[in-house]
C-alpha cells in the first residue's frame, strides 16, 4: 500500500496542505496568474520598477512618486556593506559557491545591524531591518563575486537603482538601458511567490522568534537547491550541453525516456503555464536578437514543444531567466544569487507577516521506526 493510501492525512511534500494565511501574493492556478498585493505581476514588470515592487511588498501599497523617490534614496543610503563582511568573505575557500558566500555575508551583517539585539517581536525594528537587508543584497552578491575572483568590491553608485547598480558593481561598467530594464524585470518577477520552499523555510525560522537575518540565511540555503532557485544555473548548463536547436528534440526525448528531471520545467502550483516565464522568455529572445545569438531561444522553443507534447510540462521562470542572464554576460554561478537579490523582498515581507501574528510552526509526522524496546547496556551488545 502506498504511503498516501495508508495515511490519508499525510501529503508528501506538503502538497495541497494549507500552511498559513497571507496578504502578500496569490497564485491563481486556473488563469496561471500571479499577483503581488492584488496587482498582476505582468503590469508591475511592464510599467513599474523593482523598487516599486519592493515597496509594494514591504509596505503593502503602491508608492506615490514622492514615496518611491524617498524609498530609492533610503535604499541608496543603506547599500553600503561594511569592510568586516568583505574581510570574512576573503577567508572563504576559493571553491565556495556564491550562494554559500551570501550565507556568510548575511551572517556577518546580522551583528553589524544597528538593531541586532532588538527582539524579533519588535515589528517596527523588523521593518527597518528588512529595508537594510534588501538594500545590501546586490552589493553583497557583486562584491563577494569580485572577492572570489581576486578583485576588490566596487562601491555602489547612489545615482543608480538596484538593477543597474548590481551590473555596475560586477565589473565597473554602467549598463545600457535595455540591459538595466532586462535585469530590473527579472528582479520584479523573482521578488515574491507565495509559500514556496525558501519563503516557508524563512517563516519556519522566525516563527521560533529567531531574527530576520537568520531567516535570510535559511532562505538562501533553501533557495540554493536545483529543485528551487538553483534550477536557473542548472538550466543554463543544460542548454550549453545541448548546444544547438537541431539537437534539442532528440536530447529532450532521450532525457525524458531516461526519466531525468529537465531543469527549468514544471511547477508544484501551476498546471498550464508560469506567466513569469512568458515575460522573461520574450526578453530573453529579444536579447538574443540584439546580440545576434538566437541559439538559446531556438533551443528553448524546441524543448518547450517537446515537453508540452510529451508531458504537458511548461517552462518556469528559471528557464528563460537562464539564457537571458547568459546573453547579458553574467557568470552562471550568479544566477541564483540574483534570485536572492530579488527575493529578499518577499522573504522579509513574509517573515514580518509571520512575526506580526506568530505561532510556532511545528508539523506532525508518522512514525514507522522500531516499536519500543529495552535498552541494552554497551557491554552486552
Ligand atoms: C518544480 C518541481 C520540483 C515540482 O515538483 P513536484 O510538484 O514535486 O512534481 P514531481 O517532481 O512529483 O513531478 C510530477 C511528475 O512530473 C514529472 N516532472 C515534473 N517536473 C519535471 C521536469 N522538470 N522534467 C521531467 N519530468 C518532470 C515527474 O517526473 C513526475 O512524473 P511521473 O508522475 O511520471 O513520475 C519539478 O517540476 C521539478 O523538479 N522541476 C525541475 C526543477 C525546476 O525547474 N525547479 C524550479 C521550480 S520554479
Amino acid at each position: 500500500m502506498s504511503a498516501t493510501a495508508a495515511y490519508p492525512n499525510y501529503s508528501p511534500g506538503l502538497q495541497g496542505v494549507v500552511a498559513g494565511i497571507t496578504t502578500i501574493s496569490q497564485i491563481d492556478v486556473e488563469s496561471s496568474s500571479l499577483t503581488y498585493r492584488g496587482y498582476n505581476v505582468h503590469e508591475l514588470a511592464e510599467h513599474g520598477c523593482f523598487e516599486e515592487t519592493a515597496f509594494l511588498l514591504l509596505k503593502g501599497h503602491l508608492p506615490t512618486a514622492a514615496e518611491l523617490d524617498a524609498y530609492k534614496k533610503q535604499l541608496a543610503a543603506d547599500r553600503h556593506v561594511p569592510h568586516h563582511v568583505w574581510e570574512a568573505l576573503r577567508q572563504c575557500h576559493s571553491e565556495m559557491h556564491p550562494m554559500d558566500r551570501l550565507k556568510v555575508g548575511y551572517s556577518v551583517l546580522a551583528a553589524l545591524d544597528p538593531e541586532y539585539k532588538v527582539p524579533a517581536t519588535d515589528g517596527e525594528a523588523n521593518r527597518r531591518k528588512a529595508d537594510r537587508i534588501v538594500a545590501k543584497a546586490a552589493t553583497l552578491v557583486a562584491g563577494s563575486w569580485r572577492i572570489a575572483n581576486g578583485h576588490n568590491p566596487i562601491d555602489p553608485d547612489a545615482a543608480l537603482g538596484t538593477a543597474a547598480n548590481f551590473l555596475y558593481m560586477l565589473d565597473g561598467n554602467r549598463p545600457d538601458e535595455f540591459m538595466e530594464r532586462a535585469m530590473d524585470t527579472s528582479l520584479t518577477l523573482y521578488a515574491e511567490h507565495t509559500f514556496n520552499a525558501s519563503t516557508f523555510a524563512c517563516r519556519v525560522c522566525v516563527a521560533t522568534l529567531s531574527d530576520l537575518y537568520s531567516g535570510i540565511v535559511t532562505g538562501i540555503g533553501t533557495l540554493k537547491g536545483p529543485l528551487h532557485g538553483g534550477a536557473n544555473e542548472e538550466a543554463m548548463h543544460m542548454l550549453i550541453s545541448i548546444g544547438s536547436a537541431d539537437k534539442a528534440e532528440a536530447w529532450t526525448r532521450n532525457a525524458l525516456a531516461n526519466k531525468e528531471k529537465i531543469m527549468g520545467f514544471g511547477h508544484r502550483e501551476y498546471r498550464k503555464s508560469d506567466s513569469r516565464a512568458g515575460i522573461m522568455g520574450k526578453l530573453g529572445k529579444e536579447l538574443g536578437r540584439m546580440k545576434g545569438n538566437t541559439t538559446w531561444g531556438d533551443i528553448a522553443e524546441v524543448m518547450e514543444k517537446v515537453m508540452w507534447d510529451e508531458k504537458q510540462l511548461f517552462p518556469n521562470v528559471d528557464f528563460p531567466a537562464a539564457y537571458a542572464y547568459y546573453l547579458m554576460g553574467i557568470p552562471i554561478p550568479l544566477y541564483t544569487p540574483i534570485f536572492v537579490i530579488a527575493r529578499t523582498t518577499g522573504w522579509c515581507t513574509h517573515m514580518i507577516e509571520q512575526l506580526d501574528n506568530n505561532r510556532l510552526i511545528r508539523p506532525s509526522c508518522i512514525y514507522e521506526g522500531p516499536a519500543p524496546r529495552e535498552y541494552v547496556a554497551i557491554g552486552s551488545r
Side-chain angles (χ1 to χ4, degrees):
M1 197 191 296
S2 73
T4 39
Y7 307 111
N9 293 333
Y10 166 46
S11 175
L14 301 185
Q15 179 162 14
V17 171
V18 177
I21 294 175
T22 185
T23 63
I24 302 168
S25 67
Q26 185 184 26
I27 289 171
D28 184 292
V29 177
E30 271 315 300
S31 61
S32 303
S33 68
L34 170 65
T35 51
Y36 298 163
R37 303 273 192 199
Y39 297 101
N40 194 300
V41 74
H42 271 253
E43 291 192 76
L44 294 168
E46 196 180 333
H47 306 297
C49 61
F50 172 65
E51 286 77 9
E52 186 177 292
T53 283
F55 185 102
L56 170 69
L57 292 169
L58 284 157
K59 327 275 176 199
H61 64 274
L62 279 177
T64 62
E67 282 173 326
L68 184 58
D69 190 48
Y71 183 57
K72 284 182 177 174
K73 288 198 173 106
Q74 188 195 333
L75 287 175
D78 282 340
R79 268 203 185 99
H80 178 74
V81 167
H83 69 95
H84 308 75
V85 178
W86 302 139
E87 279 160 25
L89 285 164
R90 285 194 173 92
Q91 306 306 313
C92 292
H93 192 278
S94 60
E95 291 293 306
M96 197 185 234
H97 188 278
M99 288 293 275
D100 293 324
R101 287 176 189 271
L102 279 183
K103 288 187 282 181
V104 173
Y106 273 113
S107 297
V108 178
L109 270 177
L112 300 170
D113 190 288
E115 295 179 281
Y116 177 50
K117 294 202 170 153
V118 178
T121 45
D122 186 331
E124 287 315 307
N126 288 337
R127 283 164 175 79
R128 289 189 291 270
K129 281 184 191 171
D131 285 342
R132 291 191 281 270
I133 286 170
V134 169
K136 293 186 194 321
T139 317
L140 207 49
V141 174
S144 61
W145 177 252
R146 286 185 63 81
I147 286 174
N149 288 281
H151 306 293
N152 286 322
I154 295 172
D155 286 334
D157 178 341
L160 303 179
T162 306
N165 240 320
F166 169 64
L167 294 167
Y168 165 67
M169 288 187 287
L170 269 186
D171 60 10
N173 296 316
R174 285 172 179 77
D176 63 32
E177 211 177 299
F178 191 82
M179 285 271 283
E180 177 180 359
R181 185 74 201 148
M183 178 53 65
D184 188 90
T185 300
S186 77
L187 295 180
T188 298
L189 299 176
Y190 267 144
E192 161 57 14
H193 211 204
T194 74
F195 270 42
N196 58 86
S198 57
T199 299
F200 188 56
C202 288
R203 291 187 77 125
V204 170
C205 178
V206 296
T208 66
L209 299 186
S210 187
D211 65 294
L212 255 58
Y213 284 88
S214 298
I216 290 289
V217 174
T218 304
I220 294 168
T222 313
L223 188 73
K224 183 185 170 199
L227 295 188
H228 193 7
N232 57 13
E233 294 179 21
E234 295 302 321
M236 197 61 228
H237 290 303
M238 173 185 75
L239 286 168
I240 291 169
S241 81
I242 296 171
S244 59
D246 58 321
K247 299 198 185 102
E249 178 167 354
W251 189 97
T252 311
R253 288 189 188 283
N254 186 47
L256 287 178
N258 290 328
K259 300 235 168 280
E260 284 170 31
K261 274 278 174 79
I262 308 217
M263 291 296 136
F265 282 84
H267 202 270
R268 170 63 66 79
E269 292 280 297
Y270 298 115
R271 287 291 144 248
K272 295 178 233 156
S273 66
D274 172 348
S275 67
R276 302 168 304 166
I279 307 172
M280 209 55 223
K282 227 168 110 190
L283 263 178
K285 290 191 180 106
E286 210 169 325
L287 269 164
R289 282 190 293 276
M290 281 173 62
K291 304 262 171 191
N293 179 1
T294 61
T295 305
W296 315 116
D298 294 345
I299 298 177
E301 267 178 31
V302 176
M303 293 186 77
E304 286 169 22
K305 182 167 182 345
V306 177
M307 288 298 279
W308 184 256
D309 290 349
E310 293 299 314
K311 298 275 289 181
Q312 283 72 59
L313 284 169
F314 47 85
N316 57 55
V317 67
D318 291 317
F319 188 56
Y323 59 87
Y325 292 153
Y326 195 79
L327 287 160
M328 291 168 81
I330 296 170
I332 296 173
L334 290 180
Y335 296 3
T336 319
I338 294 172
F339 196 154
V340 172
I341 298 174
R343 190 54 66 86
T344 52
T345 59
W347 287 338
C348 286
T349 312
H350 275 274
M351 290 190 283
I352 290 168
E353 186 178 68
Q354 178 68 37
L355 285 164
D356 280 350
N357 190 13
N358 190 48
R359 187 155 190 232
L360 180 81
I361 299 172
R362 206 299 186 193
S364 307
C365 59
I366 295 151
Y367 178 70
E368 285 192 338
R373 46 187 167 163
E374 287 296 315
Y375 176 78
V376 182
I378 194 153
S380 311
R381 284 177 221 160

